Structure formats: structure tokens, C-alpha cells
Amino acid sequence: MRLCLINPSNPLVSIVRVKESYWNRYRVWKPLSLMTLAGLTPPEWDVSIVDENISTPDYTTMPRPDLVGITAFTSQANRAYEVASHFRSLGVPVVMGGIHATMCLEEAMERVDSVVTGEAEGVWVQVLEDARHGSLKRLYDGGLADINGVPLARQDLLSRRYAFGAIQTTRGCPLNCSFCSVTTFNGAQYRQRPISDVVREFQTIGEKRVLVVDDNLIGTRSDHIARAKDLFGAMARANLRRTWVAQVTINFADDEELLELASKAGCRGVFIGFESPTPEGLREVGKKFNLLRGRDLRASVRRIQRHGILVVGSFIIGLDVDEPGIGKRIAEAAHQYGVDNLNTLFLTPLPGTKLWDQMKTQRRVPLDTFPEDWKYYTLTFPVARYKHLSTAAIIDEMIRCDEAFYSIPRILRRTFDSLWGRRMPVVNLIGNLSYRSNLRLSRKTYADFMRKHSNDSLTEERQFVASSQMDKAGSPPPAP
Ligand code: B12
Ligand code: SF4
């Protein structure tokens, strides 16, 4: 029995635009969902993984699979359905899973033979068994899986053409920020894989650099931090000879022992969601963690960097509190905090989030010709209506933000800082150049986006921004 697992690509996502920008090759990450599914698949199945971000085979001439499994984030959904439609036309059953199919179940069910919602560990073997007997059900619900002692992901199935391997050590997040779907999808409880499994899987990764995909590797409570220390200690003792990057919250900086162990275990970079330069913004997104009074963010960033760990700061643009000038304000805040790279994304309502419910109710989601429009839900397009910024204005803010942070003098200064602090200056420079080179690409992409979308929604949008501004001034909104 032949199983083909497919990660669809979205040409609007920078990681696949390697030809247009050389530096993007450092942004291609391995699709862990499919490697995990492959790990769960019994040996009687011959499994292959197609990652369209790397290359797309000719589906018409490849050996005919008995079952196709497709994963998709929301931004990949459109392409996922195209691929599904092709295989279904050949009579090959298609099963889809992942965050998008879970959050937009009806849409997915109309376009594939079977949908797996939630985490697949508890149901995948049953799905395969049913497929083998030609009795695939329309829906399987994996819910939240027990991740103790599950088979290791098949790290061997993909080529070495990736800049980073991928591994997961925990699932779930209790914080439930308004724009994020992780708590809805993976639950509020922080679940941890056994440390010995993580170390064993790490040893099977071919790449020298690894992305630890956990949403928050160190967790939020003292027992989570104790577990992170145990994990890092075990990784250091295993002498993995791999370096890795991960996502953490800013409290990573508060524990010297934790930082030291992380560095010894191979940690060379962390992504931290600062989200907004203002307390009002943080309150709006519900990021309580960053609101701790008395925190000196610059000192926190420095403490992390002192251990040879790069800090990538992430911010959101387009919050209801964001007014003209926000782009420069974010760039200045990131510069002041001293982060090595800045990643600013447009506030985007993704299905399954509190933000989606709120914006839908307020009729602030104009790009809603689904599934086609999902391709714009990459967080790099302004798909919503923003309270104080029109589409053109928010794009302008984004460009100003990136231009200010990625100016040549500032890149040189950061590279010099990292050289001085022995924080991988070459990697730092590559990161900065990658972002800078995408500025040019982004301008072109925004121009195309504006051409396509301005006419239909501009009038309504002007009314929306005007009414928001009048509301703020205490005047009645304009008559419809
Ligand atoms: C790693 C990661 C990335 C990597 C992706 C690497 C890759 N090629 O997969 C990178 C950095 C490239 C990335 C990019 C983006 N990401 Co991202 N990412 C993640 C992260 C942190 C972990 C994903 C992961 O590997 N999980 C581990 C695997 C094992 O879990 P899983 O993917 O959920 O798979 C399980 C189930 O879903 C299910 N399943 C999945 N697929 C399938 C398929 C079948 C057939 C079956 C049966 C089951 C099944 O079974 C698996 C095992 O239980 C998640 C957060 C999260 N907790 O999931 C965000 C997340 C998926 N990303 C998100 C977003 C928004 C993006 C971006 C759009 C924006 C951005 N700039 O970050 C881009 C889009 C990229 C694109 N190609 O379009 C959102 C997606 C929300 C949504 N509705 O789509 C998430 C949920 C984070 C969030 N804050 O909400 N991301
Ligand atoms: S943004 Fe991060 S901290 Fe907030 S809910 Fe999502 S995973 Fe948790």
C-alpha cells in the first residue's frame, strides 16, 4: 500500500521564493506534521513525503498512491484543495488534517474524502486500516493526543535540502492570546514529551541546525521551567552536536541557570513575541506575560544574548490601538530592546481565534472569498479592516517599519554588536540580509495586492476608518 503525504505550497510565502531572493533558502523548514504522521504509519505502508516548498513532482506521472494525506495551515488551504481535486479525479482517496481542516471543517469536508480533526496520534492507525479496507469514514476526531511514548517522527524521509530540521518537545499553551489558534487546537494544558524520546529523536535528525517548534519551550510555571532545565541538561549530556532555535516567552531571561543550560544544549536563537510596543496593545492581544510591571526589556534581551543566543523579536501591526506612526514606533522599540532580527506581521484574523469571531461579527474581514482568499492569510497581507489605518496606510507603516529597522547602518551595527558579543555574527548578518532583501519583494507583492483588492473594498474601508475616527472623537458615526 502506497501512502503519499503532501505539504502544499503557497507561492505568496517567502520561504518558497528562493529564486527571487537567495537569502530565503535559510528560511525553509521541515514539515514536522507529515514526518510525525509517517512515524505513526505501520510498516506495511510504503510512505513518501512531498514538500511542495522544495519541489513538486509531476502528479500525473508519479506512481499512483493508494491514499493521499494532505496537511495545511490556513494559508495553504487553497492549494491543498487543488491537489486533493487532482488525486480524487484519479480515484485516489484523499484525507486532510491539520489546523485548517480542523477550524474549517465543513469547507474541508466538501473537498476531500475524509478529514482528521485535532491531533492525529490516537486515530491515524485506524484511518489507515479503514483506507486499506476501502471503508474510510468521512470524519475522525483525534482531539488532544497522549504524546507519551509515541513513535518518533520519520526524520529520515526528507532530503537534506533544508536549512533546519524540526522537532517538538511540548504541546499546548494556557495563555490563549486573541490572535492565536494554539490554545484552541492544542489545548490549554502544557503537555510534555518524555525527555528520553526527545533526545533519541534529536539524534536521528540529519541537519546540523534544528527548529524546536514548541510554542513556548520553557512554559509558564516553575515546574515547566524545571522540566526545561532537565531537558537541556539531558541534551547537553547526550552531546547532540546540533544547534537549535526555539520560541520562548520573555521570562526565559529571568533564570541564569536556565540560560546557561540552554546554551550548553545548543540553543543559538530564540523567537520572542513582544507583539506591541505599548501596554494598551499588549492588553488588547491578551499577552499578559509581557505586561509584568518593572520588566526592563532591553536588559532581558541582553541577558539572553550574553549566553550567545540571538533574539528575534516579533510584533503585530494593525491592533485597534495602532495609529499612524506605529511602523516607526515598532522599529524603534525593537531597536531599543536590542533584538537581532525583527519580524513584524499584520494582525490577521485566523479561523478558530477570538480575533476571528470578533472581526467577523464587526464585519471587518473583507477578503472572504474562500477558499481562494486563504492564500493571503499569511500574516504578510493586511486582510482585515484596521481601526485607524486604511489598507494603503498600514502597508506604508509596514514598509517604514522594515526600512527603519533594516537600514544598512543598523544592520552593520547589529552585526558588529554580535561580533563583539560572540553571537554568531555571520548568522546574524544572514538573518538581517534575508529580511532586507525581502523588502524589495514585499513592495512588489503589496503593489499587486493593492491593484487586485483596492477597488472592491476601498469605499467601504474609507467609511470604516472614518467612522472609527469619529467614534474616537466622540462624534456620531456617519449615516450609512
Ligand atoms: C513550525 C511552525 C511553522 C513553520 C512551518 C514548518 C513546516 N513546514 O511545517 C514555519 C516557521 C515555516 C511557519 C510558518 C507559518 N506559520 Co506556523 N507554526 C508552526 C508551529 C509553531 C508548529 C507547527 C508544527 O510543526 N507542529 C508540530 C506538528 C506535529 O503538529 P501539527 O502540525 O499540528 O500536526 C498534527 C495535527 O495537526 C495533525 N495533522 C497535521 N497535518 C495532518 C495531515 C493529515 C493527513 C492528518 C491525518 C493529520 C494531520 O497531526 C499531527 C500530529 O498530531 C505552529 C503552532 C502549532 N502549535 O502547531 C504554527 C502555526 C501552524 N503557524 C501559523 C501561521 C499563521 C504561520 C504563517 C501563516 C505565518 C507566519 N509568518 O508564521 C506561516 C505560513 C507558512 C506557509 N507555508 O504557508 C499558525 C497557523 C494558524 C492557521 N489557522 O493556519 C500556527 C497554528 C501558529 C499560531 N500562532 O496560530 N510555521
Ligand atoms: S501567541 Fe504564544 S503565548 Fe499566546 S496563545 Fe499563542 S502560543 Fe500561547
Side-chain angles (χ1 to χ4, degrees):
M1 296 292 284
R2 216 178 261 137
L3 168 67
C4 179
L5 298 171
I6 301 177
N7 185 34
S9 82
N10 174 349
L12 296 173
V13 175
S14 63
I15 53 171
V16 292
R17 300 172 80 172
V18 171
K19 284 198 193 100
E20 291 157 89
S21 167
Y22 174 84
W23 303 109
N24 279 339
R25 71 192 55 235
Y26 294 99
R27 291 182 168 203
V28 184
W29 320 82
K30 271 182 150 169
L32 186 56
S33 53
L34 299 183
M35 296 192 295
T36 304
L37 279 188
L40 299 169
T41 304
E44 57 271 25
W45 286 84
D46 174 11
V47 195
S48 60
I49 299 182
V50 170
D51 182 359
E52 293 192 342
N53 289 327
I54 296 288
S55 67
T56 305
D58 183 349
Y59 291 132
T60 50
T61 56
M62 68 187 259
R64 188 179 187 276
D66 298 292
L67 180 68
V68 163
I70 306 185
T71 189
F73 299 167
T74 291
S75 56
Q76 298 164 290
N78 198 22
R79 172 68 187 155
Y81 299 139
E82 278 173 23
V83 176
S85 157
H86 169 77
F87 282 103
R88 293 180 86 198
S89 73
L90 301 177
V92 178
V94 174
V95 50
M96 181 168 169
I99 182 104
H100 186 76
T102 304
M103 299 304 169
C104 296
L105 180 58
E106 278 172 30
E107 177 193 283
M109 283 189 73
E110 279 168 27
R111 290 164 177 85
V112 300
D113 298 287
S114 175
V115 174
V116 175
T117 54
E119 300 174 355
E121 280 78 0
V123 290
W124 183 235
V125 171
Q126 188 60 52
V127 175
L128 293 175
E129 209 36 36
D130 291 351
R132 214 152 65 90
H133 294 106
S135 56
L136 208 51
K137 295 188 189 62
R138 294 279 290 134
L139 176 65
Y140 298 83
D141 180 18
L144 299 180
D146 177 0
I147 52 172
N148 276 305
V150 287
L152 306 188
R154 286 286 302 275
Q155 298 280 350
D156 57 302
L157 275 182
L158 284 161
S159 77
R160 296 280 180 85
R161 289 164 65 195
Y162 289 85
F164 287 81
I167 193 167
Q168 186 172 46
T169 95
T170 62
R171 279 190 196 162
C173 177
L175 298 182
N176 202 12
C177 301
S178 65
F179 56 88
C180 174
S181 26
V182 168
T183 309
T184 316
F185 187 77
N186 293 113
Q189 200 194 337
Y190 189 65
R191 290 167 290 144
Q192 301 143 353
R193 283 180 74 193
I195 288 176
S196 55
D197 284 6
V198 176
V199 171
R200 264 196 312 133
E201 189 168 316
F202 238 112
Q203 283 163 334
T204 66
I205 299 179
E207 290 77 15
K208 289 273 170 238
R209 288 176 297 243
V210 179
L211 168 68
V212 180
V213 305
D214 301 27
D215 295 291
N216 183 359
L217 179 59
I218 58 164
T220 49
R221 298 194 319 230
S222 54
D223 56 318
H224 301 161
I225 292 186
R227 183 264 183 187
K229 286 182 183 172
D230 289 346
L231 173 67
F232 300 156
M235 286 165 68
R237 281 192 300 280
N239 190 19
L240 298 170
R241 288 197 289 272
R242 310 276 191 292
T243 58
W244 48 272
V245 295
Q247 306 183 85
V248 294
T249 32
I250 189 69
N251 56 324
F252 185 49
D254 300 345
D255 188 323
E256 274 297 318
E257 187 192 5
L258 181 72
L259 289 168
E260 204 173 309
L261 283 166
S263 177
K264 274 196 187 135
C267 180
R268 294 293 175 268
V270 287
F271 299 88
I272 297 183
F274 292 96
E275 319 305 0
S276 169
T278 67
E280 303 79 52
L282 290 175
R283 262 192 290 279
E284 183 180 325
V285 296
K287 195 108 187 186
K288 303 160 205 107
F289 236 78
N290 293 12
L291 271 169
L292 287 183
R293 247 178 263 134
R295 177 175 290 287
D296 178 343
L297 288 168
R298 185 182 176 83
S300 297
V301 169
R302 281 270 177 264
R303 271 201 299 280
I304 298 173
Q305 290 170 332
R306 241 176 260 134
H307 290 267
I309 299 172
L310 294 170
V311 176
V312 180
S314 175
F315 284 80
I316 298 172
I317 199 165
L319 300 176
D320 282 359
V321 297
D322 289 349
E323 300 203 4
I326 182 65
K328 275 208 141 173
R329 202 162 170 190
I330 290 176
E332 284 317 308
H335 176 66
Q336 252 181 31
Y337 302 165
V339 301
D340 297 287
N341 277 196
L342 164 66
N343 190 24
T344 309
L345 299 161
F346 291 108
L347 182 72
T348 303
L350 287 165
T353 60
K354 289 187 271 183
L355 182 68
W356 170 266
D357 296 341
Q358 180 202 327
M359 284 193 153
K360 266 309 234 188
T361 319
Q362 296 171 346
R363 301 174 49 155
R364 291 172 62 185
V365 188
L367 246 73
D368 61 355
T369 309
F370 300 132
E372 287 79 13
D373 279 346
W374 291 130
K375 64 177 178 287
Y376 294 112
Y377 283 63
T378 57
L379 280 50
T380 52
F381 292 96
V383 297
R385 286 209 176 94
Y386 301 94
K387 202 155 187 182
H388 304 296
L389 298 160
S390 66
T391 304
I394 198 169
I395 287 177
D396 206 43
E397 293 294 340
M398 180 65 97
I399 291 173
R400 279 165 201 264
C401 173
D402 285 341
E403 278 177 351
F405 190 82
Y406 290 107
S407 68
I408 292 290
R410 284 199 167 165
I411 290 183
L412 290 177
R413 183 167 163 191
R414 283 194 291 274
T415 309
F416 179 76
D417 273 1
S418 59
L419 186 67
W420 186 248
R422 299 199 191 142
R423 265 185 351 266
M424 294 177 298
V426 178
V427 176
N428 196 339
L429 183 64
I430 288 173
N432 275 281
L433 290 176
S434 160
Y435 277 104
R436 189 180 159 82
S437 74
N438 276 311
L439 261 175
R440 190 176 29 86
L441 271 183
S442 303
R443 273 202 208 93
K444 185 178 167 302
T445 314
Y446 293 146
D448 291 347
F449 178 78
M450 282 302 283
R451 257 195 304 281
K452 275 203 192 100
H453 297 285
S454 52
N455 289 343
D456 37 351
S457 61
L458 212 61
T459 319
E460 270 185 72
E461 176 184 277
R462 279 203 193 108
Q463 280 178 356
F464 177 76
V465 174
S467 77
S468 306
Q469 277 159 4
M470 296 244 241
D471 276 353
K472 196 177 153 216
S475 322

